[in-house]
Amino acid sequence: MPRSSFRHEITNAFRPIARVFRNRSNASNAVNQASDQPQQLADAPNRSSIRSGEAHHSPGVPAKDRDKNGLFCLHNPGGDFNVDIVAVHGLSGDSEETWTDDKTNKLWLRDFLPSQFPGVPIRVWSFGYDASVFGKAVIDIEDVATSLVAGLDGERQGTHSTKPIIFVAHSLGGIIVKKALILANERSDIWGDIRDSTHGAIFLVSPIGEQV
């Protein structure tokens, strides 16, 4: 699937999802206003041992010279949020170029997706790994999936641990997401919140029927 078509395909897929969370957000806001109780946000330490967090690259740095491995936050509303959306690219892709329109050079995860959730504060993440044809990811899916689930868990401590998660996966990324959820289930003593908080996934040409 050409990168230029991602925006249209996933925008359509997200519309009903956004409607559900928008309705939930409106109901939650009504309750909060009635109770007039301030919400305390816990600043828990980051338990992740892999590179994760805000991805702010200097505009003049070529894409080939950027560190694209790990979990990158592309949109953060600041303060509290309602949903984590996590994108995982596929074979021969990377954390930015896979989701960037060829013609406009817009990164739709950052430039368009948040507008699909009006009134609903969302965080948008992109997970990167070595997805070259001869890269390590092709050899060891489990290592990459472990990095994904561990990194996400590290960013969701305290009051964030039960926020809903929606995955968006392209190609090989679908297998990685599937394996990450299997690991979260198998290691529920550590990553049970990831398993329980996953509300859905959008797979784009992913062979998710394959054994992992």
Side-chain angles (χ1 to χ4, degrees):
M1 179 185 296
R3 289 199 299 268
S4 59
S5 67
F6 278 142
R7 177 188 171 191
H8 302 289
E9 294 291 334
I10 305 182
T11 293
N12 291 335
F14 264 111
R15 280 174 180 160
I17 298 173
R19 192 177 304 116
V20 170
F21 284 105
R22 187 163 58 247
N23 292 339
R24 290 182 182 177
S25 179
N26 291 338
S28 177
N29 289 339
V31 172
N32 290 337
Q33 290 172 5
S35 62
D36 197 29
Q37 294 294 324
Q39 181 177 11
Q40 301 298 321
L41 298 179
D43 293 324
N46 189 327
R47 294 189 296 163
S48 173
S49 60
I50 69 166
R51 187 199 187 288
S52 61
E54 301 287 339
H56 297 296
H57 300 301
S58 299
V61 178
K64 65 182 179 61
D65 295 328
R66 298 173 185 166
D67 180 6
K68 294 292 187 74
N69 295 334
L71 192 63
F72 296 86
C73 189
L74 300 179
H75 176 78
N76 191 337
D80 199 12
F81 65 95
N82 287 34
V83 187
D84 265 330
I85 297 176
V86 184
V88 183
H89 64 80
L91 193 63
S92 300
D94 74 25
S95 59
E96 291 186 5
E97 291 183 6
T98 291
W99 315 106
T100 299
D101 189 281
D102 293 320
K103 297 179 180 178
T104 65
N105 210 32
K106 294 286 188 179
L107 178 58
W108 73 264
L109 290 171
R110 180 191 62 217
D111 300 326
F112 299 108
L113 187 57
S115 66
Q116 298 300 312
F117 290 77
V120 181
I122 66 171
R123 293 195 306 183
V124 181
W125 302 88
S126 185
F127 178 73
Y129 58 96
D130 181 3
S132 60
V133 175
F134 300 103
K136 186 176 185 298
V138 179
I139 301 171
D140 199 337
I141 298 295
E142 183 164 345
D143 280 356
V144 179
T146 299
S147 294
L148 170 59
V149 71
L152 191 55
D153 178 69
E155 297 292 346
R156 290 171 49 85
Q157 297 306 299
T159 57
H160 295 166
S161 64
T162 58
K163 299 289 186 178
I165 302 170
I166 300 173
F167 288 99
V168 181
H170 174 237
S171 176
L172 179 64
I175 295 178
I176 292 170
V177 167
K178 180 180 177 181
K179 185 62 177 181
L181 293 175
I182 291 172
L183 292 172
N185 183 58
E186 292 175 347
R187 298 296 305 276
S188 59
D189 55 322
I190 300 175
W191 298 321
D193 287 336
I194 300 295
R195 177 198 62 190
D196 297 340
S197 299
T198 299
H199 283 223
I202 297 173
F203 295 104
L204 302 171
V205 293
S206 293
I208 56 174
E210 298 295 324
Q211 295 292 323
V212 294

